[in-house]
Amino acid sequence: MTETATDTPDTPDTPDTPAPPSRRPLRQLLAASVGNAVEWYDWYAYTFLATHLARQVFPPGAGSSLVPLLSTFAVFAVGFFMRPVGGLLMGAVADRRGRRTALTVTILLMGGSSLLVGLTPTYAAVGLLSPVVLVTARLLQGLSVGGEFAASTTFLVESAGPGRRGLFSSFQYVSTTIGQLAASGLAALLVAALPEDDMNGWGWRVPFLLGAVLSLAGFWIRRGAEETLADRPAAAPRPGLFDALRHHPRASLRICGITAGGTLAYYTWTSYLPTYAELETGMAKTDALLAGTLSLAFFALLQPVGGLLSDRFGRKPSLLFFGLGFALLVVPLLRALDGSFLSLLLVQCAGMVLLTGFTSVSAAVNAEVFPARVRAAGIGFPYSLTVALFGGTAPYVGTLLQELGRPGLFPWYVAALCLCSSAVYLRLPETAHRSLDR
């Protein structure tokens, strides 16, 4: 029996329906986007400053400069494994207490954890306590980001008017990319402006301390957002923590299949590619960061275009454009890197065009899979688990293959997973022109 996009759970959904689309959609977009940008700025600052963190927080590896970097990327991956927990817990808060409540909690968590990273003592000063503090901060960041995606995805799509869910969903990655862009741009500015000793000594802390301050601004903006989950009758049962998994197991697996190739390609192209270019071709760090910053700006501009196209032509064509395009082209694209600034910029921009087929519709597709009653938790756990398994490990796998002398295997790994996700896209029901379950 074929599962519909909004299969009916065993318990009634009527008392838990979200409010009608907001009458102030631009204000809703601002509340979601500004807070989301701040969240992801804090998250990605770690990635762009990984090489500086490696020198300060971890002991040097005997005979290999890649050992501290591997340790730093291992912590990057560890943070991802808190994301499913955050998606489940904060998704449940969003389904039970409202989307706005969950969004304010997640941004406060991110601000506190960013402050902790910025204040992490060095290994030379406190020994093993240094990586312990960093791991703790990264775990809290993972909890926050997992909850952020679940709540903000639901909030954005439920705020959209008829025929605009794709457009609204694209702002999930517009704001995410603005956060990345700010983190990448500030990292590039600091690397260019500060001597190496200053950058290693105190410069790498500046973006994290700034992120803590920005989180307070995001919290203030989100407090004024309009709730998209309607009030329930007092007698209405609240959804349980695992209701989405119990009543919609196939939908949960579908989210995993949709996400696997997309998240690996996304983190490869937007986070790891500058480091990959440095390790594989010997490109200068400043050139790699600048190319990454320019391509992120291009990527942000593409998202609303992709969202509008999906509202008109459907989600499946967009997803297949991404999946099959990456499966066929990722190997030749990465082989085209020759150590020059221009080659990295062109490769990154070409991949961004393909990647937009996934990122611009991801929030809409995920929200259209689950009914309103369990939408946030239903999205949060399987999505974040898949991101942890494939997206969070992308930099580590790439760096490990470099250390093992087999860097050429990494592009084939990306291609294979994108091909697997394409098989899932082929079997998806088209949901673009269906009304959202309310």
Side-chain angles (χ1 to χ4, degrees):
M1 180 176 177
T2 302
E3 180 189 49
T4 63
T6 54
D7 47 342
T8 305
D10 297 339
T11 53
D13 289 333
T14 305
D16 305 304
T17 56
S22 172
R23 295 180 181 179
R24 297 178 294 177
L26 293 179
R27 182 171 178 176
Q28 295 291 92
L29 277 178
L30 180 65
S33 299
V34 171
N36 197 49
V38 172
E39 284 257 0
W40 289 97
Y41 162 86
D42 289 340
W43 177 260
Y44 280 109
Y46 182 97
T47 306
F48 293 119
L49 295 164
T51 54
H52 300 283
L53 277 163
R55 297 187 186 104
Q56 298 301 307
V57 178
F58 294 97
S64 175
S65 61
L66 284 178
V67 171
L69 185 58
L70 278 171
S71 300
T72 311
F73 281 140
V75 177
F76 179 82
V78 164
F80 273 83
F81 281 93
M82 280 300 287
R83 290 179 62 166
V85 179
L88 186 62
L89 294 180
M90 291 296 104
V93 170
D95 289 333
R96 293 167 66 90
R97 302 292 180 184
R99 319 311 192 199
R100 185 177 60 184
T101 298
L103 288 172
T104 54
V105 171
T106 58
I107 202 165
L108 286 177
L109 272 174
M110 181 58 79
S113 55
S114 183
L115 179 63
L116 191 57
V117 175
L119 298 177
T120 299
T122 64
Y123 184 86
V126 297
L128 289 177
L129 181 61
S130 179
V132 168
V133 171
L134 181 64
V135 169
T136 301
R138 197 61 183 173
L139 291 174
L140 290 174
Q141 284 189 327
L143 187 71
S144 173
V145 167
E148 171 70 19
F149 186 88
S152 63
T153 292
T154 306
F155 179 84
L156 274 172
V157 176
E158 290 176 353
S159 296
R164 287 291 180 264
R165 293 198 303 268
L167 174 62
F168 269 55
S169 83
S170 71
F171 278 85
Q172 177 76 31
Y173 278 93
V174 170
S175 55
T176 297
T177 305
I178 289 172
Q180 286 181 268
L181 190 59
S184 173
L186 183 55
L189 179 64
L190 288 170
V191 168
L194 294 178
E196 186 75 8
D197 288 345
D198 287 345
M199 189 64 200
N200 288 331
W202 57 268
W204 65 270
R205 300 181 186 274
V206 172
F208 299 106
L209 298 176
L210 177 61
V213 176
L214 292 175
S215 294
L216 293 177
F219 171 75
W220 180 77
I221 293 171
R222 283 185 166 181
R223 287 189 64 190
E226 180 182 320
E227 179 56 62
T228 62
L229 185 66
D231 292 334
R232 299 183 181 88
R238 296 183 184 273
L241 190 62
F242 298 101
D243 274 9
L245 291 173
R246 282 202 306 265
H247 301 307
H248 305 278
R250 292 183 64 192
S252 298
L253 289 174
R254 181 172 289 168
I255 293 290
C256 295
I258 291 168
T259 306
T263 190
L264 177 60
Y266 176 76
Y267 281 99
T268 297
W269 236 252
T270 64
S271 299
Y272 179 60
L273 197 53
T275 302
Y276 180 87
E278 288 179 48
L279 296 175
E280 183 69 10
T281 68
M283 173 175 281
K285 186 181 304 176
T286 52
D287 286 346
L289 285 172
L290 179 58
T293 301
L294 293 174
S295 64
L296 282 172
F298 175 65
F299 184 60
L301 295 174
L302 290 175
Q303 300 312 297
V305 177
L308 284 169
L309 289 173
S310 79
D311 282 331
R312 180 170 184 140
F313 299 109
R315 317 294 188 221
K316 285 182 67 172
S318 180
L319 290 170
L320 287 169
F321 171 75
F322 152 71
L324 295 177
F326 245 91
L328 292 172
L329 296 176
V330 64
V331 173
L333 281 174
L334 291 183
R335 285 181 176 174
L337 294 173
D338 61 9
S340 69
F341 171 81
L342 183 60
S343 72
L344 177 58
L345 181 62
L346 291 177
V347 165
Q348 282 204 281
C349 287
M352 297 301 193
V353 173
L354 295 172
L355 191 56
T356 296
F358 170 77
T359 55
S360 64
V361 303
S362 175
V365 172
N366 290 338
E368 289 161 356
V369 166
F370 285 98
R373 181 174 184 269
V374 294
R375 181 167 289 137
I379 293 169
F381 182 73
Y383 174 87
S384 296
L385 180 63
T386 308
V387 171
L389 290 173
F390 299 106
T393 59
Y396 186 82
V397 170
T399 308
L400 180 61
L401 289 173
Q402 180 77 27
E403 175 78 351
L404 296 174
R406 303 298 299 273
L409 292 180
F410 185 71
W412 290 104
Y413 167 57
V414 179
L417 202 59
C418 288
L419 188 61
C420 290
S421 282
S422 296
V424 176
Y425 304 153
L426 282 170
R427 296 178 59 84
L428 284 177
E430 182 56 72
T431 56
H433 305 119
R434 297 180 184 178
S435 58
L436 189 68
D437 176 81
R438 298 199 179 271

